[in-house]
Amino acid sequence: MSNKQFDVIVIGGGPGGYIAAIRAAQLGFNVACIDEWKNAKGGPALGGTCTNVGCIPSKALLQSSEHFEHAAKHFADHGIKIEGLGLDLDKMVGRKDAVVKQNNDGITYLFKKNKVTSFHGRGSFVKVGSAGYEIKVAGAAEETIEGKHIIVATGSNARALPGADFDEEYILSNDGALRIPGVPKKLGLIGSGVIGLEMGSVWRRLGSEVTVLEALPTFLGAVDEQIAKEAQKAFTKQGLKIELGVKVGEVKTGKKGVSVAWTNAKGEAQTLEVDKLIVSIGRVPNTIGLNHEAVGLKLDERGAIVVDDECKTNLPNVWAIGDVVRGPMLAHKAEEEGVAVAERIAGQHGHVNFNTIPWVIYTSPEIAWVGQTEQQLKAEGRAYKAGTFPFLANGRARALGDTTGMVKFLADAATDEILGVHIVGPMASELISEAVVAMEFKASAEDIARICHAHPSLSEATKEAALAVDKRTLNF
């Protein structure tokens, strides 16, 4: 019996994979998408790490925990009295699960709408076929399909601490951190990355005593230094205990929790005893079970699939996108690459500008940025101008009761072109989009300074920071 034939087969149904499949179908191709995620009943759960144990569920818990903290600490400032405040963690987690399912179902609907054939199971290469590549789908029933073009979008996995594998009971990855059965009295975090800080924020708001152990001597080293310092100050004030420049030693689990031996920046031996330990030290490309050797697909020393600027691999008509290739491990970066590859297959000119990909940390305050940091500009010797504006001087932020943080603009000293925008404060994840659009169109700080922004709005802080580049803020 001949295999089912497709123009495009996508391996992986996460943000990069499902978007690539939909765009390819929109362009007239016969498309299949293979994904192995399972829901609680063992059925398909499209959306990958992001939808199932990453971006979506973490934001649901962040929102719920923020409501809880506001009710406990801030509603009284608004004249709202609450007596007998309580926490129903099971219901909170249930709401998170419902949000995840809504997203799973949404992708299933989009596949039906766009006539994408969905296969539930693990996809792997078999061999070069007569009309492309043979791909095995190992699911409830094993079958082989064949595609002219293959897009690998298998994502990434949490990096484990050497000698301390994830058991998801005491030593937790992002997966286990999202489903702790009760609020731990003491919670440890190894690594102050995005996932760790977001999950640490959730459980701190719900009552955990949180300690962060970070190996780097600086907090959030990839973030603009001025913004990172402001964020660290805010997190410390909230109760997060942040230790920098540490060396983590032996990690032991027992019936009562986890014991972490570590050395502080002064070289002094310390021990951290916690109920749960979240390890957030990065992620590794996921090529497990892909059987890349069968067709000679090239990987680099990190295990990532080697691609060129257009996401082409060393094999004809085989592409790879998202976390499994070079570049930032961000869901929206994967989506943009998925669209670009589908369009390239169709003979169009898909494009992804890595210089205008926004980054966001969904803590409170939120942290968002696009473009270069001040330390990067200094390192390359580029002449620049900087302008900042604090939310303390923004009317909408005062009305919200959240004046933490600032907006910061960096612009070329000669041309005034915007080189980077950095925000720490309320709704930074939404505010950063204006900067992304501006930078994509090569706008100057003066362009943003001259645009009328609604009053009162948080976006006025963006305008004022642009004005500050020319040292002419109006409200500070």
Side-chain angles (χ1 to χ4, degrees):
M1 179 181 284
S2 61
N3 300 323
K4 293 177 183 176
Q5 303 284 327
F6 295 92
D7 300 320
V8 179
I9 297 175
V10 183
I11 305 176
Y18 87 76
I19 289 292
I22 290 170
R23 184 65 184 125
Q26 288 176 344
L27 291 165
F29 294 113
N30 180 20
V31 182
C33 182
I34 306 167
D35 189 75
E36 68 172 340
W37 274 97
K38 296 178 181 178
N39 58 29
K41 296 180 180 180
L46 288 164
T49 294
C50 176
T51 296
N52 291 291
V53 293
C55 323
I56 302 302
S58 65
K59 303 312 163 284
L61 284 183
L62 280 161
Q63 187 66 59
S64 297
S65 64
E66 190 164 346
H67 284 326
F68 181 78
E69 185 168 62
H70 282 178
K73 298 181 179 179
H74 304 300
F75 277 5
D77 295 338
H78 295 264
I80 302 171
K81 296 181 180 179
I82 293 181
E83 295 180 3
L85 179 67
L87 174 65
D88 185 339
L89 186 59
D90 288 342
K91 190 164 186 176
M92 186 180 287
V93 172
R95 177 186 178 274
K96 177 262 294 181
D97 293 339
V99 170
V100 169
K101 186 178 184 303
Q102 288 169 354
N103 281 270
N104 295 144
D105 293 347
I107 299 168
T108 299
Y109 162 76
L110 289 170
F111 273 10
K112 289 179 180 177
K113 175 186 174 182
N114 290 282
K115 298 181 173 56
V116 174
T117 304
S118 183
F119 290 89
H120 187 213
R122 179 180 287 264
S124 61
F125 286 97
V126 178
K127 63 180 181 178
V128 178
S130 58
Y133 296 86
E134 288 188 12
I135 304 295
K136 181 174 73 175
V137 182
E142 189 173 298
E143 61 183 309
T144 301
I145 60 178
E146 191 165 351
K148 181 179 179 181
H149 288 269
I150 310 298
I151 303 175
V152 182
T154 48
S156 62
N157 297 315
R159 184 189 301 275
L161 192 70
D165 292 337
F166 298 115
D167 58 22
E168 304 300 8
E169 182 180 1
Y170 295 109
I171 302 175
L172 313 173
S173 68
N174 55 296
D175 187 0
L178 286 163
R179 49 186 175 86
I180 300 175
V183 179
K185 185 177 180 182
K186 292 187 176 182
L187 176 68
L189 287 174
I190 295 181
S192 62
V194 175
I195 295 168
L197 284 176
E198 290 182 358
M199 287 296 91
S201 293
V202 166
W203 296 108
R204 180 202 61 75
R205 292 170 188 165
L206 300 180
S208 293
E209 179 185 317
V210 181
T211 301
V212 180
L213 302 180
E214 171 57 59
L216 294 174
T218 55
F219 183 65
L220 293 176
V223 177
D224 184 87
E225 189 175 352
Q226 185 178 9
I227 298 296
K229 286 180 179 178
E230 189 75 13
Q232 184 179 359
K233 194 164 53 177
F235 296 147
T236 300
K237 186 177 179 181
Q238 292 169 5
L240 279 181
K241 186 178 180 183
I242 301 169
E243 298 283 353
L244 302 174
V246 310
K247 290 183 179 179
V248 175
E250 188 177 19
V251 178
K252 295 180 180 178
T253 58
K255 292 182 179 180
K256 292 184 178 180
V258 187
S259 176
V260 182
W262 60 285
T263 305
N264 65 19
K266 296 179 182 179
E268 299 165 339
Q270 309 284 324
T271 302
L272 177 66
E273 303 283 349
V274 292
D275 301 301
K276 305 286 183 182
L277 179 69
I278 299 173
V279 176
S280 177
I281 56 172
R283 299 182 65 82
V284 293
N286 176 26
T287 53
I288 298 170
L290 188 60
N291 196 27
H292 62 279
E293 303 96 335
V295 290
L297 182 62
K298 187 177 179 181
L299 307 185
D300 68 14
E301 63 281 357
R302 297 185 308 114
I305 296 174
V306 177
V307 293
D308 64 12
D309 291 343
E310 294 192 334
C311 294
K312 293 177 182 176
T313 70
N314 64 303
L315 302 176
N317 296 340
V318 177
W319 313 73
I321 62 173
D323 286 7
V324 80
V325 303
R326 79 288 178 267
M329 290 184 172
L330 298 169
H332 43 284
K333 173 259 195 183
E335 290 179 352
E336 294 305 310
E337 287 183 328
V339 170
V341 165
E343 292 176 351
R344 287 164 186 155
I345 291 172
Q348 299 180 11
H349 299 283
H351 175 68
V352 181
N353 183 357
F354 276 34
N355 295 322
T356 55
I357 293 176
W359 296 69
V360 181
I361 304 175
Y362 295 87
T363 46
S364 183
E366 290 186 346
I367 306 164
W369 70 99
V370 62
Q372 292 176 286
T373 64
E374 192 164 0
Q375 54 263 40
Q376 286 173 328
L377 293 174
K378 286 179 179 177
E380 69 177 46
R382 186 160 186 175
Y384 66 93
K385 300 177 290 183
T388 62
F389 186 82
F391 283 107
L392 184 67
N394 176 267
R396 183 66 188 278
R398 291 185 189 129
L400 288 172
D402 187 356
T403 57
T404 303
M406 69 179 76
V407 179
K408 179 175 182 177
F409 265 67
L410 298 168
D412 186 272
T415 67
D416 198 40
E417 180 186 346
I418 301 168
L419 303 176
V421 177
H422 307 268
I423 308 172
V424 55
M427 303 304 290
S429 58
E430 303 296 336
L431 294 173
I432 200 64
S433 292
E434 180 179 13
V436 174
V437 172
M439 289 182 63
E440 191 65 39
F441 284 93
K442 302 291 185 182
S444 66
E446 179 74 8
D447 288 328
I448 300 301
R450 291 289 180 183
I451 294 173
C452 183
H453 290 65
H455 175 76
S457 67
L458 295 172
S459 67
E460 288 178 289
T462 305
K463 174 186 176 79
E464 291 277 2
L467 283 165
V469 170
D470 197 36
K471 296 182 171 57
R472 53 188 179 95
T473 56
L474 299 170
N475 286 283
F476 183 69

